[in-house]
Amino acid sequence: MITKNIQKLIIKYLNKQASFSERDELELWLENPNNYEIFKRYVKTNYLINLNIDMYDADDSKKQLLNLIDKEKKVYKSRKYTRIMKYAALVILFLGVGYFYQRGFFENDLEITSPNENITLQLENGNIEIINEDGSSKIVDASGTVVGSQTGTQLVYNTNNNLETLVYNTLTVPYGKRSKVYLSDGTVVNLNAGTSLKFPVKFIEGKDREVFIEGGEAYFNVAKDVKHPFIVNTDKIGVRVLGTQFNISSYPEDKDISTVLVEGLVSIYNKNEFYNAETATLLKPEFKADWNKNKEAITIEEADVEVHTAWIKGKIIFKHIPFNNIIKKLERHYNVEIINNDKDLGKDLITASFDIETIEQVFKVINEIHPIDYTIKNSKIIIN
C-alpha cells in the first residue's frame, strides 16, 4: 500500500520540486525492497501502462538510460541525491526504454518524454493523469461524475456540480511549462514553471475558499465573494483576499516568499498563527511583500508589476539584475541546467526581455553584453 504522503513525494521528485529533505525521506522508504517493488508498480500504473519489461536487454537499455537522464537531471554533489536517482529515475526510464526498444523507436531518433516533462493532475483517489497539451479530455471524479474539462494546458472546473464535501485535485507544472486553471468559483489561476497547486474541485458553502501552493509561482485573479474569503496557503504564510489580482512566488530555493499586488487588497500573515486582521500585514496595489523564511519577518516595497507578472504571457524581464540572480529563472523558464564558472559574469547587471527566443538566442544576447566562453549541449549550459 502506498500512502498519500509517499505519492506526493514521488510526484514532487518527478517534477523536480522535491527538497533535499523530501528526497531523503523518499530514499529511506525505497531502502525497503518491498517498497521498491511497490514504487515500480506505482510508476508503471500511473505513467507507463501495460509495459512488458521482461522483453528487452537491461544492460543495453541502461546505456540508453544514462544518456537520457544526463540531460534531465540536475547536477547535485550530494551522495544521497545520486542514490535516489539510481532508484527513481532509473526505474521510470528503464520501463520507458524497454518499451520503446521493443518497437524500434530509437532507430528513428525519436525522443522519449519522461513524466517529469509533463503537466500532471492528481485526482482525489491518488491517480495521476498526464495532461496532453495537444488534446482535450473530461475531468472525472471517483464516482464517474464529470467535474471539469481540459483543453491543452488549460483546465476548467464546473460551477454546478453537486459535491457537498471538499475534494481536492493537485495540478503540477514542471520546468519549461505553464498552465492555467479556472476554479469552480470563477477564480482564474496561472501557474508558472515548477509549481504545484492543490485546490478543491468545488468550494463549499459556509467554508473559506482555500488553496495550497507547494513551491513555485502563481498569479491569482480571485472572484469576489464577500461571504467566503479566498486564502492562498504556502508552507510559511497565508494570503487572505475577497476579490483581487496578485502574484505569489514561493520557490523552495528562494529565501523570500514574494507577494505582488496588482489590484484590490490582501492580508499576509504567518501560517503558523491564527489569522488576525489587526496583526496581519495589509498590502496595497503595486507594492511587494517579501516574507523572509529564516527571519520570519516581512518587508514592503514598491514593485515593478510588469517584471513580476511578465511570465503569464511567456515573457521574462530583467532590469539591472546580477547574472547569478537570474540563472534560476532561466533554468525554470527553459528547463535547462546552467553552470556558471565565470565570476565576473555572475556580478554583471543584466537588462533584457525575452519571450519567443530560444535558450541559444538568449545566450547570444548575453554574449553581446558580456563576451563569454560557453557551450550548450542538450539541456546543459556550461559557462567557462
Side-chain angles (χ1 to χ4, degrees):
M1 182 68 180
I2 190 167
T3 67
K4 288 186 176 180
N5 180 56
I6 292 297
Q7 289 178 19
K8 183 175 73 171
L9 291 176
I10 294 172
I11 295 166
K12 292 184 73 173
Y13 168 74
L14 295 180
N15 287 280
K16 302 180 182 178
Q17 295 179 346
S19 64
F20 282 107
S21 63
E22 288 168 331
R23 294 187 195 110
D24 287 346
E25 184 177 352
L26 183 56
E27 178 196 2
L28 288 174
W29 184 79
L30 286 167
E31 293 288 353
N32 185 317
N34 292 331
N35 290 343
Y36 180 62
E37 292 302 317
I38 292 172
F39 174 81
K40 287 197 296 184
R41 290 197 298 272
Y42 177 81
V43 173
K44 181 178 178 181
T45 299
N46 287 285
Y47 290 99
L48 298 161
I49 299 173
N50 295 328
L51 300 186
N52 183 346
I53 63 173
D54 297 322
M55 296 177 61
Y56 69 98
D57 187 328
D59 289 336
D60 204 12
S61 294
K62 188 171 182 178
K63 294 177 183 177
Q64 294 287 342
L65 256 175
L66 296 175
N67 290 332
L68 285 169
I69 64 175
D70 181 60
K71 67 175 183 177
E72 289 294 325
K73 68 181 180 180
K74 302 293 181 183
V75 176
Y76 291 101
K77 295 182 180 179
S78 167
R79 292 177 60 193
K80 291 184 176 181
Y81 184 71
T82 302
R83 286 158 59 193
I84 199 169
M85 284 296 297
K86 173 186 70 177
Y87 288 118
L90 292 183
V91 168
I92 296 161
L93 288 174
F94 256 144
L95 296 174
V97 170
Y99 175 76
F100 287 103
Y101 237 93
Q102 293 174 49
R103 288 151 180 78
F105 279 14
F106 284 117
E107 295 175 6
N108 298 322
D109 293 324
L110 293 184
E111 182 174 319
I112 294 175
T113 300
S114 60
N116 61 359
E117 291 181 338
N118 294 304
I119 299 171
T120 60
L121 181 68
Q122 182 177 5
L123 306 179
E124 73 275 14
N125 61 2
N127 287 347
I128 300 169
E129 303 287 344
I130 292 178
I131 301 300
N132 182 359
E133 298 176 50
D134 297 322
S136 60
S137 64
K138 300 295 184 184
I139 303 171
V140 182
D141 67 11
S143 64
T145 302
V146 175
V147 295
S149 61
Q150 169 259 325
T151 302
T153 60
Q154 178 174 290
L155 279 64
V156 180
Y157 282 78
N158 299 339
T159 60
N160 57 351
N161 65 60
N162 297 318
L163 288 174
E164 296 181 354
T165 58
L166 287 173
V167 174
Y168 289 92
N169 283 183
T170 301
L171 182 62
T172 301
V173 182
Y175 283 3
K177 307 281 186 180
R178 298 187 309 280
S179 187
K180 189 174 187 178
V181 56
Y182 291 77
L183 302 181
S184 65
D185 66 336
T187 293
V188 183
V189 188
N190 287 273
L191 302 182
N192 202 356
T195 305
S196 183
L197 177 72
K198 180 180 176 182
F199 56 91
V201 170
K202 179 186 178 182
F203 293 106
I204 304 301
E205 181 71 26
K207 293 183 177 293
D208 290 344
R209 298 174 290 166
E210 289 195 79
V211 300
F212 303 83
I213 288 184
E214 296 182 8
E217 182 172 28
Y219 183 90
F220 291 84
N221 188 344
V222 179
K224 189 171 184 179
D225 184 346
V226 177
K227 294 182 180 180
H228 302 92
F230 193 98
I231 301 171
V232 179
N233 294 287
T234 72
D235 60 336
K236 297 290 186 180
I237 65 169
V239 179
R240 185 182 179 96
V241 304
L242 295 176
T244 187
Q245 295 187 45
F246 64 98
N247 191 82
I248 184 167
S249 180
S250 180
Y251 286 103
E253 63 273 16
D254 292 345
K255 63 181 179 66
D256 296 323
I257 299 174
S258 298
T259 305
V260 176
L261 185 59
V262 178
E263 65 178 49
L265 292 172
V266 300
S267 293
I268 302 169
Y269 60 98
N270 191 326
K271 178 77 179 301
N272 296 322
E273 300 174 359
F274 288 108
Y275 172 73
N276 185 329
E278 295 182 358
T279 58
T281 300
L282 191 65
L283 192 62
K284 297 180 180 179
E286 299 188 4
F287 278 80
K288 176 168 70 87
D290 287 327
W291 174 273
N292 187 282
K293 298 175 184 178
N294 295 324
K295 298 179 180 178
E296 295 194 344
I298 194 168
T299 57
I300 308 292
E301 64 180 11
E302 287 191 68
D304 187 331
V305 173
E306 182 187 22
V307 169
H308 293 283
T309 60
W311 66 266
I312 299 169
K313 298 179 180 179
K315 298 176 63 176
I316 45 177
I317 298 175
F318 306 119
K319 294 185 178 180
H320 288 79
I321 304 296
F323 180 77
N324 277 344
N325 292 358
I326 71 173
I327 287 177
K328 200 62 187 178
K329 290 182 180 292
L330 291 173
E331 288 182 328
R332 295 168 187 154
H333 190 82
Y334 289 101
N335 191 20
V336 296
E337 177 189 359
I338 300 172
I339 300 174
N340 180 29
N341 298 314
D342 185 336
K343 294 183 179 180
D344 291 334
L345 172 63
K347 299 174 183 177
D348 266 11
L349 300 179
I350 304 295
T351 296
S353 175
F354 305 106
D355 48 17
I356 62 173
E357 290 84 0
T358 63
I359 191 62
E360 290 83 4
Q361 292 169 328
V362 168
F363 267 81
K364 285 181 180 179
V365 172
I366 294 172
N367 194 31
E368 292 175 1
I369 299 172
H370 179 123
I372 54 177
D373 177 20
Y374 67 96
T375 58
I376 298 179
K377 184 178 181 181
N378 296 324
S379 298
K380 181 183 291 186
I381 300 156
I382 300 176
I383 306 168
N384 297 314

